Amino acid sequence: MSDLKPRYDLAVIGAGPAGLAAATLAAQRGLSTVLLDEQRAPGGQIYRAVTQTPVKNPSVLGSDYWHGADLVGPFRDSGADYAPGSTVWSVSRSLDIGLSRDGAARVLPARHIILATGAIERPFPIPGWTLPGVMGAGAAQILLKTSGLVASGNVVLAGTGPLLWLLAWQYLRAGARIDVILDTTPRENWRQAMPHMGAFARSGYVAKGLKLLLEVRRKVKVIGNVTSLKAEGDGRVQSVLYRQGDGAEQRLPADTLLLHHGVIPNINLANATGCAQNWDEAQRCWVPTVDAWGATSVEGVSIAGDGAGIGGALAAEHRGRLAALDALHRLGVLDRATRDRDAAPHREALDKAQRGREFLDTLYSPAKDFRVPQDETIVCRCEEVTAKQVRDAVKLGVSGPNQTKSFLRCGMGPCQGRLCGPTVVEVIADARGVSPAEVGYYRLRPPVKPITLAELASLPKAEDEIAAVMHH
Amino acid sequence: MSSPDVIVIGGGLHGCSAALHLSLRGVKVLVLEKDHIGRHASGVNAGGVRQLGRHVAEVPLTVASMALWHGIRDLVDDDCGFESHGQVKVAETEAELAICQARADQLRALGFTHEEVVDQAELRRLVPAIAEHCVGALVSRRDGAAIPYRTTFAFKRKAESLGARFVEGVTVTKIARDGKNWAVETSDGARHAAPILVNCAGAWADRIAAQLGEPVPLEAIAPMLMITARVPPFIKPVVGATGRTLSFKQFPNGTVLIGGGLLGRAYRDENRTDLDFAQIRTNARTVWDLFPVMRSATIVRAWAGIEARMPDDIPVIGPSGTEEGVYHAFGFSAHGFQLGPIVGRITADLITQGQTDLPIEPFRIQRFRRDAVAA
């Protein structure tokens, strides 16, 4: 692995499909490029550990997963520098990147920055979700990909969305047991999704999705139309309580409860940089405001991939290439006409990859009862703030998430709102009877990832000190 | 068009405190706030409730305000998270300790006894985690800290319960004399009129003053703060340093707030601040030196608030020098939080009685007349 240069034409943050594709194209076209990534190996979350997973049987993780390897090869040959194990905790408007590697912090300047920070799971706040043994399906998938680990004992999967079914399928392929899937997809979503069925039918999702769904349904009991969920247990989860429709509450034994109801853009870095953002009603989340090339409101900062709105892994790859072409244009390497000409095939591929997205967004839009939890449910895990506390603050006239943050400390913990922000916004909007668009989102602040005082104190002050640190 | 007795411009702590004290005296108040209550310095400052080390001119006010802080629940029906464990200004050398002693002597000569010098043993008793090289400290035992946004919000709510009206999200666009009244137009197109105006517009207060024909040399600054993840409780007082910039305290929940006034950059027209990590690094090094126990602590967030600084680092308090029926309270230069309760009372005194019993002569706006002309 090459060491870092003092500055780069282009810094790409995040080594998922968008970041790998962007860095590869930019470096191939001659930009001095660095790909900074928090993980030790490329792939992001979707292709996590694709170069080193212990799960060698290709049928377990599926061919879509192994496509990640097709991105890593060209990246390695592209000439881009690669800095795994780099935690980026700040990106400033002046395009300075604050990062930590091996226990030391430094500031790395770039002429253009592409954020490819991907998606995070939408928080799924049910009563008992803080009990040990309850975790996001995404976390379970990471354990499977990186370590070949699956949960044992009674395993219950609950929620909605394509990734829920994908995880179930991967689990079964890996020989793991799933007792029950509690499907929370609201009944009415089917009716609302129907108008988008045509485009979905023409997309690549249908055949693959149906096959996967049928295989899971053949092997696991699926309980549909689940309208309420609760985890209970003494010290850790022991059972899951649920309702089907208006039915009576049922109880299932559970040693592990895996929750998932969709992914949302990981906006923390973009938000802290000061990129403008807007409420996406279809995906029910805040997204950074970007143009067709991924350019944000901050000059020199673009976003590619799911971090600029959920589009999936294949779309992310094409969005990465488009953002890289625009960076080449902005840095004076390509004129506008060349950029547009070279972008044409990627734009076409992107359109194809996004076909059917409306159908999935509509069908798997999580039910209100799971987005706006009941009073006693903990919303902010870091500071243990309940939905009732947020509602009470609204009654006092506290009108937005930044005010509830100051008032209740919710969102002030180490997760910087990743686990509570979307829920707090929904609870406030619901209590005030307005759209989340009107409520706003947290103003996030660097460091967007925790760093130690020692790292901060080690930050080189002047250029010569930076050079000294680099060569030590 | 609304017609209160007094229009307060700015819904920070000082605006809310003026509104509260006026409402307590039966005066009808309207507060106009361009963002939301406590959005800037009042909501995001370090929360230090400090008499220690203040400019001599501020000492009578800070002492009077401290009395209000110790009865804050009686004033606003909320304890504002106020806790009084003292403030400590550490001396790292004998020379610094001598500076502390001179300061204590100076205050004593003026008749104030709240600041005292303590030796190394007493410093260690008060702050067991302090680095071994520290030789003593200047201490103010009745000082403490409160929760800034909660405090500002409590002043607002109490004022509101007494009849004050708050309009948030509107910017004052025009101020004009209209007979005996001031006509105030806001960005939502509304018009308000009142015989009395109070300028508590913080980092934007110079714009109000300029409209009244008395420009002031106000600088919008962005003092930075950072906070750690929770660590086991190890310190009660708020700690500062004599020879360097520091404000250091632990909240009851275990998080540690580190600040002291090192500056980022303020962009007041965009409501935005940028952090300066070179300055934050300096702050981190100070903590590294003074609190070895903190070296492995995790920083989870850093931020800055926008506030006003005057060239002489003391605020503007008192009547306008150019217009009848206008009063100012702004420019607190990064140490206005503790003064909030008393300055609202002073403004109410001036409006309802034409005078106040506290010495506010040093804070006259006229002191900048020559600067403004020269500029």
Side-chain angles (χ1 to χ4, degrees):
Chain A
M1 186 200 74
S2 54
D3 209 344
L4 297 185
K5 299 186 178 78
R7 53 174 48 75
Y8 287 90
D9 292 334
L10 176 68
V12 180
I13 300 165
L20 284 168
T24 304
L25 188 149
Q28 285 168 345
R29 299 277 191 122
L31 290 185
S32 74
T33 301
V34 63
L35 177 58
L36 304 164
D37 190 47
E38 194 164 28
Q39 303 305 322
R40 290 277 156 196
Q45 300 304 340
I46 191 80
Y47 305 131
R48 184 138 171 162
V50 70
T51 55
Q52 48 178 217
T53 178
V55 185
K56 294 303 176 199
N57 178 351
S59 74
V60 171
L61 295 167
S63 59
D64 285 351
Y65 171 78
W66 292 104
H67 170 63
D70 302 341
L71 295 175
V72 175
F75 168 68
R76 293 221 193 272
D77 297 337
S78 70
D81 284 350
Y82 172 51
S86 300
T87 300
V88 171
W89 40 263
S90 171
V91 167
S92 77
R93 283 171 182 261
S94 48
L95 308 186
D96 285 326
I97 299 164
L99 64 99
S100 293
R101 280 174 85 201
D102 304 324
R106 60 168 295 176
V107 173
L108 180 68
R111 293 171 65 210
H112 193 96
I113 297 172
I114 296 177
L115 310 180
T117 49
I120 54 174
E121 286 190 288
R122 183 192 297 278
F124 201 156
I126 61 166
W129 72 311
T130 56
L131 284 171
V134 181
M135 62 172 154
Q141 200 182 33
I142 288 170
L143 285 173
L144 172 60
K145 288 174 185 172
T146 56
S147 316
L149 289 175
V150 293
S152 55
N154 293 116
V155 178
V156 175
L157 241 70
T160 183
L163 290 180
L164 186 81
W165 297 99
L166 176 62
L167 175 75
W169 184 81
Q170 289 173 336
Y171 249 54
L172 295 171
R173 288 269 168 142
R177 174 181 130 176
I178 300 168
D179 289 62
V180 176
I181 293 176
L182 298 172
D183 184 354
T184 63
T185 310
R187 278 269 156 86
E188 64 271 20
N189 283 11
W190 280 101
R191 189 173 40 77
Q192 284 159 3
M194 275 311 143
H196 306 294
M197 187 58 152
F200 180 68
R202 290 192 303 277
S203 75
Y205 294 115
V206 179
K208 254 188 248 170
L210 271 179
K211 185 165 164 274
L212 187 147
L213 220 82
L214 289 174
E215 188 175 331
V216 172
R217 282 181 174 273
R218 250 198 328 270
K219 293 181 179 163
V220 183
K221 181 178 176 188
V222 177
I223 298 173
N225 196 26
V226 168
T227 55
S228 86
L229 280 172
K230 195 190 289 183
E232 275 187 2
D234 186 9
R236 59 168 295 120
V237 65
Q238 290 164 324
S239 51
V240 179
L241 289 85
Y242 70 94
R243 272 177 221 282
Q244 195 174 21
D246 301 329
E249 195 163 66
Q250 311 282 324
R251 182 182 293 267
L252 287 168
D255 299 303
T256 301
L257 170 61
L258 302 178
L259 294 171
H260 177 87
H261 64 171
V263 292
I264 56 176
N266 181 0
I267 60 173
N268 280 31
L269 189 53
N271 177 309
T273 303
C275 300
Q277 55 191 23
N278 58 275
W279 173 256
D280 184 328
E281 184 63 30
Q283 298 192 337
R284 285 210 79 83
C285 56
W286 284 93
V287 295
T289 307
V290 295
D291 68 10
W293 303 93
T296 70
S297 64
V298 174
E299 184 66 39
V301 177
S302 329
I303 307 177
D306 278 355
I310 302 304
L314 281 179
E317 184 179 325
H318 305 306
R319 290 157 94 187
R321 295 187 185 110
L322 291 170
L325 284 170
D326 190 47
L328 282 153
H329 168 59
R330 284 166 185 263
L331 294 176
V333 178
L334 295 185
D335 61 31
R336 182 180 291 265
T338 311
R339 176 197 69 177
D340 293 352
R341 189 196 66 216
D342 291 359
H346 303 302
R347 215 167 269 299
E348 198 178 313
L350 174 61
D351 286 347
K352 192 163 166 250
Q354 284 180 324
R355 217 177 279 157
R357 176 52 54 181
E358 289 91 345
F359 177 80
L360 294 175
D361 287 346
T362 313
L363 178 61
Y364 292 122
S365 182
K368 184 184 165 193
D369 285 350
F370 294 118
R371 290 181 280 108
V372 185
Q374 290 176 356
D375 274 351
E376 72 278 11
T377 306
I378 285 177
V379 167
C380 166
R381 302 172 67 126
C382 299
E383 297 288 337
E384 296 181 350
V385 177
T386 64
K388 181 177 191 323
Q389 285 173 277
V390 175
R391 289 193 179 101
D392 287 348
V394 172
K395 278 183 205 146
L396 292 177
V398 177
S399 57
N402 289 297
Q403 293 96 303
T404 53
K405 182 166 105 179
S406 301
F407 204 71
L408 298 170
R409 303 191 48 79
C410 65
M412 276 204 188
C415 89
Q416 282 245 32
R418 285 176 185 83
L419 291 168
C420 68
T423 312
V424 167
V425 166
E426 294 262 17
V427 170
I428 295 174
D430 179 61
R432 287 180 52 198
V434 299
S435 161
E438 200 172 314
V439 166
Y441 194 72
Y442 294 135
R443 282 186 302 278
L444 301 174
R445 293 286 182 247
V448 297
K449 293 282 175 80
I451 57 173
T452 65
L453 187 93
E455 283 173 298
L456 263 187
S458 76
L459 207 55
K461 197 170 193 176
E463 283 294 312
D464 53 331
E465 282 186 76
I466 292 174
V469 167
M470 275 172 41
H471 299 302
H472 78 168
Chain B
M1 187 171 96
S2 74
S3 33
D5 301 324
V6 175
I7 294 173
V8 175
I9 302 171
L13 179 57
H14 287 280
C16 292
S17 178
L20 169 60
H21 286 283
L22 286 163
S23 301
L24 283 167
R25 298 172 197 196
V27 177
K28 268 169 53 189
V29 184
L30 169 68
V31 179
L32 301 174
E33 163 55 46
K34 75 181 185 67
D35 296 302
H36 60 75
I37 296 304
R39 161 71 174 85
H40 296 286
S42 297
V44 301
N45 67 75
V49 178
R50 173 178 63 84
Q51 305 174 90
L52 184 66
R54 281 184 178 270
H55 191 289
V56 171
E58 289 179 356
V59 171
L61 278 62
T62 195
V63 170
S65 210
M66 210 66 210
L68 294 178
W69 274 105
H70 278 271
I72 199 74
R73 182 180 278 284
D74 299 333
L75 185 62
V76 297
D77 303 335
D78 187 302
D79 69 15
C80 301
F82 175 61
E83 290 196 8
S84 174
H85 299 292
Q87 292 225 8
V88 175
K89 198 175 195 180
V90 172
E92 297 181 69
T93 62
E94 290 299 336
E96 288 182 8
L97 195 59
I99 294 170
C100 293
Q101 188 60 60
R103 161 76 181 184
D105 294 344
Q106 181 193 23
L107 284 195
R108 206 161 294 263
L110 294 168
F112 297 102
T113 56
H114 58 278
E115 293 186 18
E116 60 176 293
V117 171
V118 301
D119 63 11
Q120 194 172 43
E122 175 66 359
L123 169 61
R124 239 176 258 308
R125 194 187 68 78
L126 290 168
V127 189
I130 199 75
E132 283 185 5
H133 71 277
C134 298
V135 294
L138 192 62
V139 173
S140 178
R141 295 185 192 264
R142 270 166 63 82
D143 290 7
I147 310 288
Y149 183 80
R150 182 167 155 194
T151 302
T152 306
F153 202 74
F155 273 80
K156 181 230 177 186
R157 283 179 60 213
K158 185 63 189 280
E160 213 167 22
S161 76
L162 295 168
R165 207 158 70 81
F166 289 78
V167 181
E168 298 172 69
V170 299
T171 306
V172 170
T173 50
K174 193 177 169 200
I175 298 170
R177 213 2 129 197
D178 180 15
K180 281 186 175 168
N181 276 340
W182 288 101
V184 176
E185 290 177 24
T186 47
S187 51
D188 58 342
R191 292 169 58 86
H192 310 276
I196 301 205
L197 271 188
V198 179
N199 176 15
C200 293
W204 295 263
D206 56 331
R207 293 180 177 168
I208 305 296
Q211 286 201 51
L212 298 165
E214 45 189 347
V216 287
L218 176 154
E219 182 192 2
I221 58 169
M224 297 185 293
L225 292 165
M226 56 182 154
I227 195 154
T228 69
R230 296 175 191 210
V231 293
F234 71 97
I235 184 170
K236 288 282 191 185
V238 181
V239 176
T242 307
R244 4 188 189 184
T245 304
L246 177 70
S247 168
F248 183 94
K249 75 150 182 280
Q250 186 171 32
F251 285 104
N253 73 354
T255 59
V256 176
L257 185 71
I258 300 166
L262 290 170
L263 300 181
R265 284 170 294 275
Y267 304 88
R268 61 175 170 168
D269 290 322
E270 300 166 50
N271 274 355
R272 184 167 76 74
T273 58
D274 280 347
L275 301 176
D276 180 343
F277 277 95
Q279 294 289 313
I280 286 182
R281 160 198 179 272
T282 302
N283 222 345
R285 289 209 168 172
T286 299
V287 174
W288 173 281
D289 290 342
L290 292 182
F291 292 98
V293 63
M294 290 294 294
R295 290 178 184 180
S296 59
T298 302
I299 306 294
V300 298
R301 195 171 62 258
W303 71 95
I306 302 179
E307 64 168 295
R309 181 165 73 187
M310 306 313 293
D312 51 7
D313 275 315
I314 56 173
V316 172
I317 304 170
S320 160
T322 53
E323 296 286 352
E324 286 287 311
V326 177
Y327 299 85
H328 298 291
F330 66 83
F332 287 84
S333 307
H335 50 261
F337 185 62
Q338 191 269 353
L339 294 175
I342 197 64
V343 174
R345 204 207 79 194
I346 290 170
T347 301
D349 286 348
L350 294 173
I351 290 169
T352 61
Q353 301 163 12
Q355 59 179 0
T356 183
D357 56 355
L358 284 159
I360 57 167
E361 178 68 16
F363 310 113
R364 305 164 71 234
I365 192 167
Q366 290 92 331
R367 73 187 193 269
F368 297 116
R369 246 178 211 170
R370 208 171 7 169
D371 296 0
V373 170

